Amino acid sequence: MPEVLVPGDRVERWVANFQVRHGPSTLRVTDGALRGDAGDGSSFAARLPFDQSYDGAADAAALAATLDAAVPDDWGVLLVRKGGFAVARLSGTTVVASKVGQRHVQGRTKAGGQSQQRFARRRDNQARAAYEAAADHAARLLGDLAGSLVVGGDRGAVEEVLADARLARLAVVGTRLPVPDPRRAVLEQAVADALSVRVEVVNADG
C-alpha cells in the first residue's frame, strides 16, 4: 500500500487535493487514524508520527493541530547504509546533538575465484567497521534515550547496528525511512519525514 509523508502544514491541502482528484470524501476516525473514503472507491488513512493514536475530530485541520503534542520530548534518528551513517538526538523538533559519518566500502567486483573471495572478505570487513562506527556514535548520543527511535536506510545495516548490546533498550517506532547514503541534508530531511503525518493511500484505479 503506497505511503506518503505529509508535513503538518500541508495536511489540509493534501486532503483537499485528494477530494479534487477523487470526489467528495467521507471523513471518519477509526483505529487511531483519520480516514477518508471517496465516491470513486479510493481511500486514505492518515496517522500521526511516532505510532501515536489519533482520537480527535474527523477533520484534517484537527489532525494537524495535534502534531506538536505527538512529538516526544526526547527522541532520536538513526540512518545506516553500507557506506555511512547519521545519528541525531532531538528535543521536540530541535536537534540537540548529531553525527554524520562516511566509511569507504568497496563496490562489487566481477573478478572470480580467489580474487573474488578476498574482495568479498575485504568488503565485509569494511562494512563491519562502518557498522561498528555507527553503533559507537549511536551509543554515545542515544544510549540513554528516553523516547522513540526512528530508523532509515538498508534494513540489514540498521539491524546490524541495533544488534549492539548498548542499543538494546531503544524503542524503534514507525516505518523504516528509505534514504540515500546519509549526509547532513539527508539527515535533515529524515527528521522532517519523521515529524510528518503518514498517509496510506488506496487508489481505486490501481
Side-chain angles (χ1 to χ4, degrees), residues 102-117:
Q102 284 80 46
R103 287 295 183 101
H104 176 66
V105 177
Q106 291 176 297
R108 299 186 181 279
T109 180
K110 294 182 180 179
Q114 291 184 339
S115 294
Q116 185 178 28
Q117 293 173 5

Side-chain angles (χ1 to χ4, degrees), residues 6-206:
V6 183
D9 60 356
R10 298 181 187 174
V11 170
E12 290 183 76
R13 184 187 309 170
W14 189 94
V15 173
N17 288 341
F18 178 88
Q19 294 178 324
V20 169
R21 292 191 303 270
H22 301 287
S25 305
T26 300
L27 300 181
R28 57 195 172 95
V29 176
T30 181
D31 294 332
L34 174 66
R35 297 178 183 270
D37 299 292
D40 71 349
S42 300
S43 63
F44 72 83
R47 300 183 181 279
L48 292 171
F50 305 103
D51 291 346
Q52 294 293 308
S53 179
Y54 177 67
D55 60 2
D59 178 77
L63 175 69
T66 65
L67 268 176
D68 287 346
V71 181
D73 292 332
D74 186 29
W75 64 284
V77 174
L78 172 65
L79 311 176
V80 191
R81 290 178 66 88
K82 266 197 170 66
F85 64 89
V87 186
R89 185 164 183 161
L90 297 96
S91 176
T93 60
T94 302
V95 176
V96 295
S98 66
K99 174 64 178 179
V100 177
Q102 284 80 46
R103 287 295 183 101
H104 176 66
V105 177
Q106 291 176 297
R108 299 186 181 279
T109 180
K110 294 182 180 179
Q114 291 184 339
S115 294
Q116 185 178 28
Q117 293 173 5
R118 286 195 300 271
F119 185 91
R121 284 195 297 270
R122 187 184 315 122
R123 189 169 184 269
D124 288 343
N125 289 337
Q126 290 171 340
R128 190 173 301 111
Y131 299 153
E132 289 174 356
D136 287 343
H137 288 290
R140 177 174 60 85
L141 295 178
L142 307 175
D144 62 346
L145 193 70
S148 304
L149 178 67
V150 176
V151 300
D154 294 327
R155 182 186 300 277
V158 171
E159 290 176 350
E160 285 277 353
V161 173
L162 290 179
D164 190 292
R166 296 169 295 177
L167 307 176
R169 59 181 296 278
L170 297 181
V172 177
V173 298
T175 305
R176 179 173 51 88
L177 300 174
V179 298
D181 284 342
R183 299 291 189 272
R184 180 63 56 182
V186 173
L187 176 59
E188 292 171 355
Q189 183 60 54
V191 169
D193 289 344
L195 293 166
S196 296
V197 172
R198 295 186 294 113
V199 186
E200 298 169 346
V201 185
V202 177
N203 290 313
D205 56 2

